[in-house]
Amino acid sequence: MAEAVAEGARSVQGVEVELKTDMDVSPEDLGKAEATVIGAPTYRHDMSTGIKNLLEETASKKIATKGKLGACFGSYGWSGEAPKLVLHAMKEKLQMNIIEIPVQAKNSPSPEDLETCRELGRTVSQKLTAP
Ligand SMILES: Cc1cc2nc3c(=O)[nH]c(=O)nc-3n(C[C@H](O)[C@H](O)[C@H](O)COP(=O)(O)O)c2cc1C
C-alpha cells in the first residue's frame, strides 16, 4: 500500500517522495517534509508502537508540523481503528491539515485498494503543487 501511495505521489511532476519504514523515520523527517502519509495497520485496536512513538516524539520535540499536510492508510482484519487514531493525533497533537478519510484495506489490499492508494498519493502531491 505504501509503495502504491508513493507511486501515485511521484506521478505528479515536481514532487520528491521518500518512502520510510517506522524503523528509520524520525520526528525531524516530519519537520522537513511538506506532507506526510502514514501507513497504520491495526494491531490490538491500536496503531503500532513505532508510529505511536513517532507521533509522540514529534509533538514533544515541538517539531514544526503545523499546517503541513497529513494523510493515512492501512490494512486491518476486523475493526481497523489505527488510521483514524493516527489522523486524530496528526490533527490535534501536530496541528496538521489532514485528509480526513483514510484509505483502508481489509486483509491484503485488492487491486482496487491499491488504485485508491495511488489516488491518495496523487491527491497529496496535487494539493502540494496546486497554485
Ligand atoms: C496480533 C494481531 C493483532 C491484531 N489486531 C487487530 C485488531 O485489533 N483489529 C483489526 O482490525 N485487525 C487486527 N489485526 C489484523 C491486522 O490488522 C491485519 O492482518 C493487517 O493486514 C496487518 O497489516 P500489515 O501486514 O501491514 O502489518 C491483528 C493482527 C495480529 C497478528
Side-chain angles (χ1 to χ4, degrees):
M1 291 176 82
E3 281 166 8
V5 172
E7 192 186 319
R10 285 194 182 105
S11 72
V12 176
Q13 225 182 358
V15 176
E16 192 183 316
V17 178
E18 274 188 57
L19 188 52
K20 298 206 164 208
T21 70
D22 62 356
M23 305 295 285
D24 65 9
V25 67
S26 69
E28 288 74 18
D29 290 327
L30 271 63
K32 281 185 224 144
E34 287 177 55
T36 299
V37 187
I38 292 181
T42 301
Y43 285 94
R44 297 190 180 85
H45 303 283
D46 208 344
M47 67 186 86
S48 70
T49 312
I51 297 299
K52 191 172 278 187
N53 290 343
L54 174 71
L55 295 171
E56 280 171 8
E57 280 172 30
T58 303
S60 70
K61 285 182 161 179
K62 300 197 185 339
I63 300 286
T65 49
K66 189 174 177 179
K68 291 185 171 182
L69 187 57
C72 191
F73 63 92
S75 69
Y76 68 101
W78 50 92
S79 56
E81 292 93 333
K84 285 191 189 97
L85 294 170
V86 168
L87 286 172
H88 182 78
M90 288 174 113
K91 187 176 180 176
E92 301 300 330
K93 288 190 182 173
L94 306 185
Q95 295 178 287
M96 297 179 81
N97 280 338
I98 58 159
I99 294 177
E100 297 274 350
I101 299 171
V103 173
Q104 294 199 255
K106 196 166 188 327
N107 303 315
S108 292
S110 65
E112 291 76 22
D113 292 328
L114 293 177
E115 187 49 36
T116 311
C117 288
R118 282 185 206 99
E119 263 169 41
L120 177 66
R122 270 196 297 275
T123 301
V124 168
S125 289
Q126 280 161 356
K127 281 182 184 283
L128 293 180
T129 55

